[in-house]
Amino acid sequence: MLLLSMLLGLSVQAAEENVSDINIPLTANGVEEDTTAHSSPTIRGESTNNAQIETTPSPLKDNEIRQRISGIFSEIDGLGAVEVSVSQGVVTLAGETANERKAQQAINLANRLTDVVTVDDHINRTLDVQDNVSTAYQGLRTKGQNLLKALPLLMVGFLLFGLVAWFGAWLSHRKSLWQRLTPNPFVAELLAQTIKVIFIILGLILALSLIGAETIIGTLLGGAGVIGIAIGFAVKDTIENYIASLMLSIRQPFQARDHVVINDREGIVVRLTSRATILMTLDGNQLRIPNADVFKGIILNYTQNPERRFTFELGVDANDDPLAAIKVGLDAINQLDFVLAEPKAIAIITHVGDSNIVLEFLIWVDQSRTDFGKARSIAIRETKHALENQGFSLPEPIYRLRFNPELEQGLGCFQGESAGSLTPDMTLPPTTPNSQTAIRPNTIDDRDKQQAKARAKQILRGHEADEVLNARPDEKLMKKVEQEIADSSDETDLLNKNSPRE
């Protein structure tokens, strides 16, 4: 009821304003003229008229002006006590009015006569409680009566608004219709919501037009524009995310279950919502990245191209032939099931170090069927064992030591005295000044390596070792991804396989 009263009040006020804006000049005889007289602003105690002043005044005309104004005031409630006197076209208003509004009404009415030169205001504003309260009461009573009369029309207006808004809501819930128009779920939802808002606005305009409150439409639109600007600054980040969601849903840079890296954040895509992109990290944790950051960020998609290359380096002794070592390593690598024949694995010599030659192996795998980290680990192990089995040594760092002559002589004497206690497997080469001593693997080291390999074979012989030597992807992680996708089925996923990908 309060809303109905406000709407009716605004409608009546707009009508009164429209009537008051009509400026029809009146002659002293009460005849309306076709010419338009522009009333000037009034000052307290005086009002002017911009009409041309006659050269020869007429007392008869002054009397006609006084009678005409007095007759008009007698017909208007609240202006009956205003006294009118006219001399030389100057109208003097005296007497009493209840408030300022009534006084200004009397001045404006007197000023509208074409023969009036100016209006002198001497009206006393009594501000009487009874007069003002009764006037307000009469006004409220009139509005209440008008409201009662307008109730059927208001009910029809509300009914019309409800029908139009309901039809818009019903139309927006026809998901199959919007999905046929566009395969993108986000665009389809945006179209549905837009249609719903359009029908609500249309229903509001029709209802206001029916009850004669068209001026409210302009007020609402103006207020909506100002409020929209304020809200736009307040929710700038939210709007940016929303627009980024729209662009990502159209471009489709990734799909669910894709292995991606977004701004150094690695994981498997679960879904794309209207606010964020949700990933499952390789550690099994849920990661939400705002769509604005995703849209502006760097996206690396491993799944879109399943062929992926990994590299590792091994160093062989400087006395060994590096090309022979490359052949031995590649032969061992190509025997692994997960290594692709095309593109084929290769190896290159990267650089020659102080005590070794560094070889870099480059191997391709299908990461849709192979775990990248496991494959690299197994390839390094098999290459290392193959080189060692063929007699290639993987030397440790060698350091060059310099001694002063007295210390070298002392070490020489110590070596001569203890030479008899050295075993055949432990020999020390003679030392000379500025010489470099390189400790190569001896038979003890070889025996330790053989024992380590035998121990490794014994450990890896069990059935439980298959998981260590298996390069298949982690099934548990993919199960968590599938469970996360299924658990959030109620949330709209903007990723669609039918949409074109960039």
Side-chain angles (χ1 to χ4, degrees), residues 125-141:
R125 284 76 167 171
T126 61
L127 301 179
D128 185 70
V129 175
Q130 182 177 358
D131 293 340
N132 285 279
V133 171
S134 62
T135 303
Y137 171 74
Q138 290 296 332
L140 291 175
R141 183 178 178 181

Side-chain angles (χ1 to χ4, degrees), residues 354-428:
D354 295 335
S355 59
N356 60 358
I357 301 175
V358 180
L359 308 178
E360 183 179 11
F361 294 87
L362 303 91
I363 300 97
W364 290 87
V365 296
D366 185 354
Q367 58 184 350
S368 63
R369 298 178 299 170
T370 305
D371 185 277
F372 184 80
K374 292 180 181 179
R376 185 174 185 275
S377 175
I378 294 174
I380 294 175
R381 171 185 180 272
E382 295 300 324
T383 306
K384 173 179 177 297
H385 286 178
L387 291 174
E388 291 177 343
N389 292 337
Q390 293 296 327
F392 293 92
S393 61
L394 308 179
E396 297 176 355
I398 296 177
Y399 300 96
R400 183 177 181 179
L401 304 179
R402 293 180 178 272
F403 303 97
N404 55 39
E406 293 79 4
L407 182 58
E408 287 182 1
Q409 292 177 1
L411 290 175
C413 297
F414 175 77
Q415 179 181 358
E417 295 175 357
S418 59
S421 61
L422 294 176
T423 63
D425 295 335
M426 299 177 61
T427 58
L428 292 175

Side-chain angles (χ1 to χ4, degrees), residues 13 70 107 124 149 178 217 221 223 235 274 303 317 364 367 450:
Q13 182 181 355
S70 299
I107 295 172
N124 181 26
K149 294 178 182 179
W178 307 114
I217 299 176
L221 292 178
V235 295
S274 59
T303 306
D317 192 270
W364 290 87
Q367 58 184 350
Q450 294 297 329

Side-chain angles (χ1 to χ4, degrees), residues 257-277:
R257 304 173 185 85
D258 281 3
H259 185 186
V260 298
V261 178
I262 303 175
N263 293 335
D264 298 330
R265 301 285 186 174
E266 186 175 2
I268 299 175
V269 178
V270 175
R271 80 183 61 83
L272 173 66
T273 68
S274 59
R275 294 179 300 276
T277 299

